[in-house]
């Protein structure tokens, strides 16, 4: 049996019609060729714009995505899996880096600096292990059904009670939760508990905080300088591996990614050879 470092690493991503240009022009041209397979799930029902978080179409795609991930964990049992959003520009190879991280960790996430859901599910590596499959079956998939509910349906189902959210939320690797997760200014939660799950990131972060399956996972985060989501050329490290266009939507997202691809990337790398125009 292969050690974790030598395991195959498969990439999966979810695409809708609105993401075709981003996929063709930026994601596919820069994704390294080092992975053992790349599998796309095409959600044809959605009309959601790129980055349209919390909209009904966006949440439906997120629901389908979580269930697709679970099916691929079965298909690649014993291997490693990398779940990617399509709004990423890649600069360097990183397969070995992830496989090293997965030797000691069940899951590895990009750190999200945009809100309290600090595990970014748009860059999410995991072992296809029984432990992780149990986590999906017991914690993630049951919560995913909330993504198909309106805010009113969600609150009605709860009967005014918070669903898996309490004032005493604690987690060893996420101390920020205990301090401000219940702030009324947080877009996903209020002082009485959950208003609704705005997307798959809310579902997964809530699941990670659960005392049995979530707390038993050994979770790690990637270096924020190397795996960046900060749209600022001055903040980009020379060691940057990728840029993830978090926090923008629609044409703005596409424009940010193009600027990184054609201008900032060349300055960071020192030439344009890294770009694969006709891959």
């Amino acid at each position: 049996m292969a050690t974790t470092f030598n395991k195959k690493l498969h990439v999966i991503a979810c695409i809708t019609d609105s993401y075709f240009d981003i996929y063709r022009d930026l994601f596919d041209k820069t994704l390294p060729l080092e992975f053992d397979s790349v599998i796309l799930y095409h959600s044809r029902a959605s009309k959601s714009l790129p980055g349209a978080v919390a909209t009904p179409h966006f949440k439906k795609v997120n629901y389908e995505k979580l269930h697709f991930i679970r099916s691929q964990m079965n298909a690649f049992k014993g291997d490693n899996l990398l779940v990617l959003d399509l709004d990423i520009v890649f600069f360097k190879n990183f397969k070995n880096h992830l496989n090293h991280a997965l030797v000691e960790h069940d899951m590895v996430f990009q750190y999200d600096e945009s809100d309290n859901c600090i595990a970014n599910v748009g860059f999410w590596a995991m072992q296809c292990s029984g432990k992780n499959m149990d986590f999906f079956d017991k914690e993630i998939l049951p919560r995913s059904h909330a993504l198909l509910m309106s805010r009113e349906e969600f609150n009605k189902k709860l009967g005014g009670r918070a669903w898996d959210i309490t004032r005493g939320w604690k987690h060893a690797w996420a101390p920020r939760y205990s301090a401000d997760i219940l702030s009324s200014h947080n877009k996903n939660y209020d002082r009485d508990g959950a208003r609704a799950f705005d997307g798959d990131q809310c579902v997964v972060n809530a699941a990670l905080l659960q005392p049995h399956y979530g707390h038993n996972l050994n979770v790690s985060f990637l270096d924020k300088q190397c795996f960046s989501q900060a749209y600022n050329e001055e903040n980009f490290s020379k060691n940057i591996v990728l840029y993830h266009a978090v926090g923008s939507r629609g044409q703005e997202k596409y424009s940010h990614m193009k600027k990184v691809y054609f201008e900032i990337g060349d300055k960071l790398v020192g030439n344009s050879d890294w770009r694969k125009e006709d891959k």
Side-chain angles (χ1 to χ4, degrees), residues 30 32 34 90-94 238-242 269 274:
T30 61
E34 58 184 342
F90 304 92
F91 303 107
K92 300 176 182 178
N93 290 348
F94 55 90
K238 290 295 183 181
N239 297 319
I240 189 170
V241 174
L242 58 85
V269 177
W274 70 280

Side-chain angles (χ1 to χ4, degrees), residues 45-46 52 58 64 67 78 86 100 119 182 185 230 236 270:
S46 173
F58 178 90
E64 296 175 2
H67 286 259
L86 295 179
H100 269 300
L182 298 178
H185 301 293
F236 281 158

Side-chain angles (χ1 to χ4, degrees), residues 20-45:
F20 278 147
D21 289 346
I22 286 176
Y23 173 77
R24 180 194 64 223
D25 298 340
L26 298 162
F27 180 92
D28 186 51
K29 283 183 177 178
T30 61
L31 180 69
L33 297 173
E34 58 184 342
F35 300 102
D36 294 278
S37 63
V38 178
I39 300 172
L40 294 181
Y41 172 78
H42 181 195
S43 178
R44 301 177 65 190

